[in-house]
Amino acid sequence: MPFLELETSLPAAQLPQGLAGKLCSAAAAILSKPEERINVTVKSDLPMVVGGSAAPCAQLLVSSIAVVGTAEQNRGHSAKFFEFLTKELGLGADRSCLLGCNSGEQKLGGHGW
């Protein structure tokens, strides 16, 4: 059950329509998980600094069981997520960052499980 949290300093009015749904679809393909298991949150209009600059930027937290966490997994996923962020948000490659976390089963819960 992957969780993705996209935070950006861009105003909501500048975000592409349907961004959360597009990110959900992209994450499902990138992480090889069904869309029904993906959870996405998009937060905009945030005061943010990346690399010492307050120019428009974004950061993406990807938390999941067994598909993020190793250096090899993160390199492959990062390239694809950066491609998505660059295309959808119109940010330069140096204006976004990604954090991948292996959440572990003991840290997740849901209705009935």
Side-chain angles (χ1 to χ4, degrees):
M1 177 174 266
F3 290 85
L4 287 86
E5 297 176 28
L6 175 61
E7 298 179 333
T8 181
S9 61
L10 292 170
Q14 281 187 246
L15 298 180
Q17 188 170 358
L19 178 61
K22 291 177 184 179
L23 181 53
C24 181
S25 295
I30 293 167
L31 301 174
S32 299
K33 297 283 187 175
E35 281 190 52
E36 299 80 28
R37 304 295 287 175
I38 307 283
N39 299 279
V40 174
T41 303
V42 176
K43 299 176 185 176
S44 60
D45 299 293
L46 297 173
M48 295 176 66
V49 173
V50 168
S53 170
C57 58
Q59 60 188 27
L60 179 64
L61 169 65
V62 181
S63 179
S64 187
I65 298 171
V67 295
V68 296
T70 70
E72 183 177 319
Q73 288 171 322
N74 288 343
R75 272 192 296 276
H77 298 326
S78 291
K80 294 172 186 171
F81 279 120
F82 281 125
E83 181 180 329
F84 174 87
L85 292 174
T86 301
K87 176 184 170 199
E88 293 296 328
L89 300 181
L91 297 173
D94 64 333
R95 300 306 307 147
S96 58
C97 56
L98 182 137
L99 174 63
C101 298
N102 186 348
S103 53
E105 291 179 25
Q106 72 279 9
K107 296 179 185 175
L108 296 177
H111 183 70
W113 50 275

